[in-house]
Amino acid sequence: MTCTKNGATESTLDCCGVGWCDWQKGITCQNIHGCTNHIPRIGKWLTKPLPSITLMREPGSRFVSAWHYRCHHPNYDCFNVNKQFKLVRSGKAKKYTFDDYCRMPEYQNIMIKMFVRDKFPYGDYGEITDADLVKGKANLDRFVFVGMNEMYDTSMVLLADALDLKMTPADFDKERSANRPAAYKDFINHLHKNSTLQDEINEANKYDIGLYHHARKKFCGQLRSSSALLHPMLDIELDQRNVCLDLWKEVP
């Protein structure tokens, strides 16, 4: 979108093509700045005149997904989050359970850690409080656009509208498969039947949930008055994965 909006080729703007941007390996886009390799740099970029955008994911589903994703949980710690976690990966200590994971501050409220503490998401940086949530909301309000991962296509259409760009059907082609392993699907089925576990997850990430709801209100307010609601490629997403319906019912 950046390249199209500026009417130049990707090589001219030095944008990344489709694929992974890796700051540590020097695979970056000089004209697209911000979070690479989970390093937020909030303090640096929010003070700049250039506009910032972000996408948020529902904290509970993100927390569960991370438990099943390599490097993002204590049984496979690639980021040196805790010396004890490294022992598990090397086979020198027993694996942690999901209940253990829920109680670990290193993996809780990662949005607050990034948006407020300006830290790598995994780590114990001290107690998170209501004051952090207030600051997180204020920081989030400084972003010109906040999208929802649960409504990714809709978010992209809404962003394109803000940039006065048109999206073609080809823009909606998926680059990655959404197939999940059987173990993940089994866990989700178990979770849906276990309200106690759901409460445990929500309590562990309550500040992230508060920040997410703030972002959701901002997104849904923009979407309600947007022509994106009429986009023919969004019918299924707006019908089946609409995170705004409850908010829209509150406002006539």
Side-chain angles (χ1 to χ4, degrees):
M1 287 187 184
T2 301
C3 298
T4 302
K5 182 63 178 176
N6 285 276
T9 64
E10 291 199 1
S11 58
T12 301
L13 280 180
D14 188 32
C15 296
C16 288
V18 176
W20 181 255
C21 295
D22 193 321
W23 173 72
Q24 291 178 326
K25 294 181 180 179
I27 307 173
T28 61
C29 308
Q30 295 304 312
N31 285 281
I32 301 177
H33 305 287
C35 181
T36 54
N37 274 18
H38 313 298
I39 303 170
R41 300 185 180 90
I42 286 289
K44 181 177 182 180
W45 296 117
L46 281 189
T47 60
K48 301 288 185 180
L50 295 175
S52 295
I53 66 173
T54 190
L55 269 78
M56 308 284 281
R57 181 177 181 180
E58 194 282 313
S61 67
R62 186 217 60 78
F63 188 73
V64 171
S65 179
W67 172 251
H68 293 86
Y69 197 78
R70 189 180 59 150
C71 298
H72 294 255
H73 58 83
N75 291 332
Y76 201 115
D77 175 19
C78 303
F79 303 119
N80 297 315
V81 174
N82 187 304
K83 292 181 179 179
Q84 289 299 116
F85 302 161
K86 300 294 289 186
L87 295 178
V88 176
R89 187 177 173 188
S90 63
K92 297 178 181 178
K94 68 176 184 179
K95 290 185 176 181
Y96 294 98
T97 66
F98 186 80
D99 286 336
D100 295 330
Y101 170 69
C102 284
R103 292 189 290 269
M104 292 176 176
E106 290 91 346
Y107 294 100
Q108 300 171 355
N109 296 300
I110 70 163
M111 293 180 188
I112 291 292
K113 292 172 185 175
M114 298 179 80
F115 278 94
V116 179
R117 302 290 179 89
D118 203 10
K119 296 287 189 180
F120 185 82
Y122 301 132
D124 186 356
Y125 307 114
E127 182 183 7
I128 293 175
T129 67
D130 291 341
D132 288 305
L133 178 56
V134 171
K135 185 175 181 181
K137 291 178 179 180
N139 282 347
L140 200 61
D141 286 342
R142 296 167 69 183
F143 283 76
V144 298
F145 177 79
V146 178
M148 297 282 106
N149 183 74
E150 291 73 28
M151 297 180 70
Y152 182 83
D153 287 350
T154 303
S155 297
M156 293 301 99
V157 171
L158 193 59
L159 179 59
D161 280 355
L163 295 172
D164 195 26
L165 298 174
K166 300 298 181 183
M167 296 184 68
T168 68
D171 291 324
F172 295 88
D173 291 343
K174 306 302 180 186
E175 296 291 337
R176 296 176 63 183
S177 170
N179 292 332
R180 298 285 192 177
Y184 179 85
K185 294 177 181 178
D186 290 343
F187 185 94
I188 294 300
N189 289 334
H190 167 69
L191 178 61
H192 286 163
K193 302 172 185 177
N194 191 329
S195 60
T196 300
L197 186 56
Q198 293 174 30
D199 290 342
E200 190 175 354
I201 293 170
N202 291 338
E203 179 61 26
N205 296 280
K206 63 180 181 181
Y207 292 108
D208 271 9
I209 291 173
L211 189 62
Y212 174 81
H213 284 318
H214 183 75
R216 190 167 67 97
K217 289 180 180 179
K218 182 173 183 176
F219 169 81
C220 294
Q222 290 177 316
L223 178 59
R224 192 175 193 185
S225 59
S226 170
S227 61
L229 290 173
L230 303 177
H231 198 287
M233 296 296 293
L234 301 181
D235 289 346
I236 295 177
E237 187 167 275
L238 288 170
D239 180 56
Q240 299 181 6
R241 297 190 293 278
N242 196 329
V243 301
C244 300
L245 293 180
D246 60 322
L247 295 176
W248 289 344
K249 289 178 182 178
E250 294 175 1
V251 181

